[in-house]
Amino acid sequence: MGKTIIISNRLPVQLQIDNGEITAIPSVGGLATGMKSVHSGGDSLWIGWSGLTDEEIPDRLAPKIDKALAKHGSSKVNLTESEIDGYYYGFSNRTIWPLFHYFLEYSEFESEYWEAYKKVNQKFADAILEKADDGDTIWVHDYQLMLVPQMVREKKPDISIGFFLHIPFPSFEIFRTLPWREEILNGLLGSDLIGFHTYDYERHFLSSVRRLLGLEVSFNDISLDDRVIKVDSFPMGIDYKKFSEAAKKHNQNKEKDKSELQKRLDTHKKSAPDAKFFLSIDRLDYSKGIAKRIYAFEYFLNKYPQYKEKVRLIVLAVPSRSNVPQYQLLKREVDELVGRINGEFSTVSWTPIWYFYRSMPFENLIDLYTSSDIAWLTPLRDGMNLVAKEYIATRTDQTGVLILSEMAGSANEMNESLLINPNNFEQIADALHTAINMPVEEQKQRNAILQKRLERYNVEKWANDFMNSLLDQKEKDYSYVAR
Ligand code: ADP
Ligand code: G6P
């Protein structure tokens, strides 16, 4: 059995150079946090971008960079600033990301971006080919690298290739608008197995393959030349134990071991024991519905004025893709909204919204998860949303209420939460009211079911299911297809 090569744009860590010193910061985002647990437990090599462009790496530091990555079982693909502009900020995040999240009006169809995307995908494919031996398994991740499976297949026809998409696959009516739609589908079809978070995304993909390429699709098998490609859904889980154990440990902390953030949270709890904390954590991304959530909070305070001074919304937004204009606009919108609403509703003893625009260390995430009575996540579209799962895993006494958008992939597995349509303010305000008043017994009943499910379908099971399915696919005899 050969090794597994994981390929994604982001590596588990991002490198930075400060005053000539290299520092590695954990990457944020569902792909990196999820795959990190899989990678640390097995014999795999992870190939990706270090976070630094070629221009940012002085020659004398190049060997040190390779060493720093090797510590994380990783190896880098070298990318220039202009490649990152065209492939990452361009085609990946100004064309595909908005389109696949149904923000059609944000999606830019620029042939320059497309050319950069092809070129960089080829670089990733070459990096794989350089490291791969026969018998290895290649696992390609996400929308930045959709051409890679075909590029590797051309050179190594017998190698086992799996692809997993971490974002939604849109309906045919949306996908068909992409000028390079056939190329993207053919790129993906270089795989033996293509995985999605949900059955809906899988269905949308199969429909596009049938209607745009006219290929034969039988159940979830696609026939192409002498190969059969399997398509299936694998809802990604979390490292449940890591979160539940961190929460248990956190809850036993003595005063002296507590973080500054936790001490501040405790002080507020003590001064108003009946007050409730609402928590939202996301990358600052328009798909997450952050601005709408803040408008909905305003709507809630007006509809239920009895909760003024009794609730507080914590908005933790992680800086993301800040070179893309839509993200800059969103940052401005959220800054202004928070300012306006705090200005309108604050009293001498109460600020309704606490807004943090930064990444936080794991310990602080646990502080927030364990201290918040209600997690409130309202993506307008989200491939999965792992934050919802992480919140539930940290609720060791099984109290707490999750309010979750039905547009998140995770909503399919989290029916016991309060599911809402993020565009329906009336329904959201009522869900917040219900959550505040939910009896503890009911909270525990709901969370007990959720926790059992999340513990069983954890990230390890997700990765094993995917890899086993890929292995099965490779072992099947499809010689009849060629006849
Ligand atoms: P996405 O992949 O779109 O960013 P997910 O909810 O699936 O959304 O995954 C986000 C991941 O990033 C989670 O694992 C979460 O713990 C992590 N994360 C979110 N916010 C922060 C933060 N401020 N600091 C560190 N990690 C964060
Ligand atoms: C989502 C995507 C990942 C991406 C992450 C963070 O989870 O599916 O591929 O890595 O967001 O975004 P970034 O652009 O910073 O890598």
Side-chain angles (χ1 to χ4, degrees), residues 8-10 27-32 88 93 97 141-144 165-167 283 285 288 319-321:
S8 63
N9 177 60
R10 286 272 176 219
S27 300
V28 176
L31 186 165
Y88 172 75
N93 290 315
W97 179 274
H141 290 266
D142 230 356
Y143 64 101
Q144 302 91 343
L165 188 73
H166 291 257
I167 66 173
R283 278 180 307 99
D285 195 299
K288 303 286 184 182
S320 187
R321 306 174 195 163

Side-chain angles (χ1 to χ4, degrees), residues 38 234-235 237-238 455-468:
V38 175
F234 302 86
I238 56 164
E455 190 168 11
R456 184 163 148 66
Y457 293 98
N458 60 15
V459 71
E460 198 183 338
K461 170 132 179 53
W462 167 78
N464 286 339
D465 284 354
F466 185 91
M467 288 310 250
N468 289 336

Side-chain angles (χ1 to χ4, degrees), residues 428-440:
I428 294 177
D430 292 346
L432 288 169
H433 174 68
T434 304
I436 293 169
N437 295 293
M438 188 182 284
V440 168

